[in-house]
Amino acid sequence: MVADKSSATLPALAVEVKGLTKLYKGRGNSPAKLALNNVDLAIPRGSIFGLLGPNGAGKSTLINILAGLVVKTSGTARIWDIDIDRQPRNARAAIGVVPQELNLDAFFTPRQALELQAGLYGVPPAERRTMEILEAVRLTDKADAYSRTLSGGMRRRLLVAKALVHNPPVLVLDEPTAGVDIELRQQLWAYVRGLNAAGTTVLLTTHYLEEAQELCDRIAIIHQGKVTADDTTEALLARLDSKKVILHLAQPVEALPPSFGQWHADLKTPIRIDVGYRPSATNVLQIVAAGQAAGLAIADLTTEESDLEDAFVALTQNA
């Protein structure tokens, strides 16, 4: 069964997990490992959702449970409003997973790999879109080349193509741009944005936090098997309540004005002062006024917003 994205009654949530827990039993002298600890997630239909966390946080375990590769210990999971336990076949038809590992058969061509994958999902030959998908991922000129001859970037794109053969409404990208050069990365994201605009929900894991910040509508951060944050990207950044103003001076100074002690100020060079402050407590004009009152000759200033890396570090270190 191929999942339907054209139904008039589409679910509000593309993926929903409640109380999801996975305990790996210990082997020999190794203790049991709690990979997921009562995880709740609600991924809106039509979103690009980022799932971030350090290595070993539980991201891959969660994805493998959704894909039917790992059996959960407890909790529930629904894909496209289909319970993965009650209707496992239909649930798997609703999701396409691009794994982190380059697991391709070296002796299959891209055309053969896609045809085989489509057959495994029960897609009738007349409904297969092999060449259309290969064109979309820019592999038409390699359609009949053995996979072992493809570059790393081409193999990564072939994995994306394999995940799309059954037209799933939910696409999971597990570190899809690892080892991919900048140009190919941009091409991949342009294609993913197009899929999303056409209605595909995207679940993304990545260690490139700037990618997540640029692409994702909503982000969840998982650490040590627990969700430590789940919010819109904008709201997540706003939680930090942290900004920086950089004062560029017309005349050099030897020390910071005493009045700057109320902020996180740093004399970077004799003509540059960086001042970190909380927007909820301080207006940038107050910093400028304090500098002018101290006799600073301010020639120019720039401000810097906190980025997702700041939020990630704060939420994983404090968890």
Side-chain angles (χ1 to χ4, degrees):
M1 173 181 175
V2 178
D4 180 19
K5 290 191 285 187
S6 61
S7 171
T9 56
L10 297 175
L13 297 177
V15 176
E16 182 180 23
V17 301
K18 293 183 177 179
L20 197 63
T21 297
K22 175 60 183 179
L23 179 68
Y24 288 104
K25 295 180 180 179
R27 293 182 178 180
N29 295 325
S30 300
K33 176 177 174 55
L34 187 61
L36 294 175
N37 186 0
N38 200 35
V39 169
D40 293 340
L41 276 182
I43 300 177
R45 171 175 52 86
S47 65
I48 300 182
F49 190 98
L51 182 64
L52 309 181
N55 291 331
K59 305 185 300 296
S60 293
T61 296
L62 192 151
I63 288 171
N64 287 335
I65 289 173
L66 294 178
L69 301 176
V70 169
V71 178
K72 59 184 174 59
T73 302
S74 61
T76 62
R78 303 181 71 84
I79 304 169
W80 212 244
D81 205 26
I82 303 167
D83 189 283
I84 65 170
D85 291 325
R86 296 178 182 176
Q87 296 178 283
R89 185 176 179 184
N90 291 350
R92 291 178 193 178
I95 191 171
V97 178
V98 180
Q100 191 174 148
E101 299 80 14
L102 293 172
N103 54 351
L104 294 168
D105 191 310
F107 296 97
F108 275 68
T109 67
R111 189 197 303 269
Q112 292 169 335
L114 265 60
E115 286 291 317
L116 176 61
Q117 189 81 350
L120 292 174
Y121 276 99
V123 182
E127 297 178 15
R128 295 177 188 175
R129 303 174 297 120
T130 296
M131 292 311 298
E132 175 189 333
I133 294 172
L134 287 177
E135 182 177 0
V137 297
R138 303 191 181 192
L139 285 176
T140 49
D141 60 332
K142 299 292 184 180
D144 298 307
Y146 287 123
S147 296
R148 67 176 183 270
T149 68
L150 302 180
S151 68
M154 291 176 182
R155 294 180 188 184
R156 186 73 60 186
R157 282 181 282 159
L158 180 53
L159 288 178
V160 174
K162 285 182 64 179
L164 295 172
V165 295
H166 59 297
N167 195 32
V170 180
L171 179 64
V172 177
L173 302 172
D174 190 5
E175 299 287 348
T177 56
V180 176
D181 64 42
I182 294 175
E183 182 180 0
L184 291 177
R185 187 180 302 173
Q186 291 174 342
Q187 292 173 1
L188 177 60
W189 288 137
Y191 182 57
V192 168
R193 283 192 178 99
L195 287 172
N196 180 248
T200 301
T201 302
V202 178
L203 171 58
L204 165 70
T205 77
T206 179
H207 281 100
Y208 299 108
L209 300 185
E210 68 278 9
E211 283 185 347
Q213 184 170 340
E214 180 181 350
L215 289 164
C216 298
D217 315 305
R218 192 176 186 93
I219 289 173
I221 294 177
I222 188 169
H223 183 51
Q224 296 180 346
K226 294 183 178 181
V227 174
T228 60
D230 181 0
D231 215 329
T232 64
T233 306
E234 183 179 355
L236 200 59
L237 295 174
R239 278 196 207 182
L240 287 176
D241 192 22
S242 175
K243 290 183 71 173
K244 180 192 293 184
V245 60
I246 301 171
L247 303 179
H248 303 276
L249 309 181
Q251 298 176 359
V253 296
E254 295 181 357
L256 290 169
S259 58
F260 276 31
Q262 59 187 302
W263 302 299
H264 298 288
D266 184 17
L267 184 62
K268 289 290 186 180
T269 73
I271 56 170
R272 171 178 165 173
I273 299 175
D274 291 6
V275 184
Y277 67 99
R278 294 170 52 224
S280 63
T282 300
N283 186 295
V284 68
L285 295 178
Q286 293 173 261
I287 298 172
V288 173
Q292 291 173 333
L296 297 181
I298 300 174
D300 195 7
L301 63 84
T302 55
T303 60
E304 290 183 0
E305 300 282 350
S306 297
D307 60 19
L308 190 57
E309 185 172 352
D310 297 323
F312 180 83
V313 170
L315 290 165
T316 54
Q317 286 186 345
N318 296 333

